[in-house]
Amino acid sequence: MNKIFALLALALTGLILFSFQSADFNDDDELSIDSLRKVYSKPTDQWPKPTVDKDAVFQELGELPPSPVDLKNDSVKNVVELGKILFFDPRLSGSNQISCSSCHAPDLHWTDGRQVSVGHDHLTNIRNAPSLENVWFYKRLFWDGRANSLEEQAGSPVAAHNEMHQDMKVLPKKLSKIKGYQPFFTAAFGSKEITNKRIFESLATFQRSIVSRRTPFDRFLAKDKKALTDQQLVGLHLFRTKARCINCHNGPFFTDNEFHNDGLTYYGRKYEDLGLYNVTKKPEDVGKFKTPGLRNVMKTAPWFHNGLFPDMDGVMNMYNVGMPVQRVKPEQVNDPLLPKNDKLLKGLKLSIAEKDAVVAFLEALSSPTVLTRVAQLPQ
């Protein structure tokens, strides 16, 4: 109903007025949709000045770049193919029932659609499974950044007691008994020897090949200026200015590749999660989590590290008021680990129509799923 109301409001007024800060327009200029479309039809370096704080790590929005994996190289292609098979093979788990794809399903844009993942013996994780699309871009992996490479990341869920629960000393021997794997390891590495290092390298290389597809926003940047609707164009401008989203969600993948405290630490309570602090042990990192990319964000609910929000209205409403602020109890006044929300978080005070426009723009970041399957596992 909110979206219908917003669209009716736009139709009745006929114009949406904005103030630009750029070399082409004065602060007091009022622009129609036509003027908005004209200015955003220019190269990105001539777009209106974004609302970016001095502490932000900023890069202008851009088109989807390709994966660095060279699939034209046969040796690399063989490693990717092996990694793909391993990714879908439940025999990597201790129970032979859980594969990597159990939590990262291609049909769900490489997520699992759950608030938090469920693993071995139906044990729940404490965090939401992030999408693996474009994962090659991230400099640190996991919500808390505890892995510095996809090779390092791959072993953690395989060994975790509440995920795949596999004894890493047993895994190479286990797969070596499957004769059907021998030609795949030989093609990828030159010999049939199976080691954890080769398993993780294959999984990592396959994951680097997982990319999202082009979106209406990419087509808009590539000179198809009708690829965005009027409402989505308004949302783009708000995203870069009043809504302040671009402070953290910028660049071609809509992420600054950094870590921020968004107020969802639950410090001192049942669901406490200290995030990056668990890795660095620095007090200033308490409650910080990796900034997720926003490509296909509208298809990868629920959101945030704990999967707290199943609908975008809730997300927008929370950002609109500036996210939760830690309540300080008397005994916590001098606590060095007391979480502090990121300085980039500020109440937005967007109207219903403005929030709907931002969400409409997020829809323009959606692309079709990439159907990925393994015809038959090695026997």
Side-chain angles (χ1 to χ4, degrees), residues 74-221:
D74 287 340
S75 60
V76 174
K77 188 176 181 180
N78 290 336
V79 176
V80 171
E81 183 62 24
L82 172 58
K84 175 182 174 182
I85 294 170
L86 290 167
F87 190 90
F88 286 91
D89 196 337
R91 291 171 293 187
L92 264 66
S93 69
S95 66
N96 295 327
Q97 296 178 353
I98 303 171
S99 70
C100 302
S101 65
S102 298
C103 295
H104 300 283
D107 295 356
L108 298 174
H109 288 277
W110 305 91
T111 65
D112 61 7
R114 297 175 179 270
Q115 180 175 3
V116 295
S117 297
V118 177
H120 184 75
D121 278 348
H122 294 280
L123 294 173
T124 56
N125 207 315
I126 63 170
R127 295 178 182 152
N128 177 263
S131 171
L132 295 182
E133 287 183 335
N134 313 310
V135 71
W136 64 267
F137 174 74
Y138 292 99
K139 59 186 179 182
R140 298 177 70 175
L141 287 305
F142 293 110
W143 282 104
D144 57 13
R146 65 183 182 274
N148 293 312
S149 70
L150 281 167
E151 286 81 1
E152 182 181 349
Q153 179 274 335
S156 182
V158 176
H161 77 284
N162 61 341
E163 295 188 60
M164 296 174 72
H165 194 64
Q166 178 63 264
D167 185 339
M168 301 311 299
K169 295 180 180 179
V170 171
L171 182 58
K173 298 177 183 178
K174 182 179 181 180
L175 295 187
S176 295
K177 294 179 182 179
I178 303 173
K179 293 183 179 180
Y181 263 120
Q182 294 177 6
F184 288 101
F185 274 88
T186 300
F189 297 104
S191 75
K192 65 180 181 180
E193 181 185 12
I194 298 178
T195 65
N196 284 334
K197 184 177 182 297
R198 287 182 170 186
I199 292 170
F200 299 151
E201 182 179 340
S202 301
L203 286 169
T205 306
F206 168 64
Q207 289 179 79
R208 290 189 181 97
S209 73
I210 298 173
V211 294
S212 57
R213 294 183 176 180
R214 283 170 58 83
T215 67
F217 178 67
D218 293 307
R219 296 196 297 273
F220 178 82
L221 291 180

Side-chain angles (χ1 to χ4, degrees), residues 222-258:
K223 305 305 181 183
D224 179 5
K225 297 310 173 184
K226 294 183 179 180
L228 295 185
T229 67
D230 288 351
Q231 189 185 31
Q232 289 171 340
L233 187 62
V234 171
L236 166 60
H237 181 61
L238 288 168
F239 187 95
R240 296 180 67 256
T241 55
K242 183 178 179 180
R244 299 174 45 80
C245 312
I246 203 166
N247 276 275
C248 298
H249 297 285
N250 55 56
F253 295 112
F254 293 80
T255 171
D256 60 2
N257 230 337
E258 299 292 333

Side-chain angles (χ1 to χ4, degrees), residues 5-72:
F5 174 82
L7 291 173
L8 286 173
L10 296 180
L12 288 171
T13 58
L15 294 175
I16 294 182
L17 306 179
F18 291 96
S19 295
F20 283 87
Q21 296 177 349
S22 72
D24 296 318
F25 297 97
N26 296 321
D27 291 352
D28 296 330
D29 283 335
E30 293 182 339
L31 298 174
S32 67
I33 287 293
D34 288 341
S35 299
L36 194 63
R37 192 170 292 279
K38 180 179 179 180
V39 73
Y40 275 99
S41 294
K42 297 179 180 182
T44 55
D45 61 358
Q46 298 178 40
W47 280 4
K49 183 180 178 180
T51 302
V52 178
D53 289 7
K54 64 178 181 179
D55 296 324
V57 178
F58 175 72
Q59 180 185 5
E60 187 54 84
L61 304 179
E63 289 187 66
L64 177 70
S67 161
V69 177
D70 183 10
L71 293 178
K72 294 181 180 179

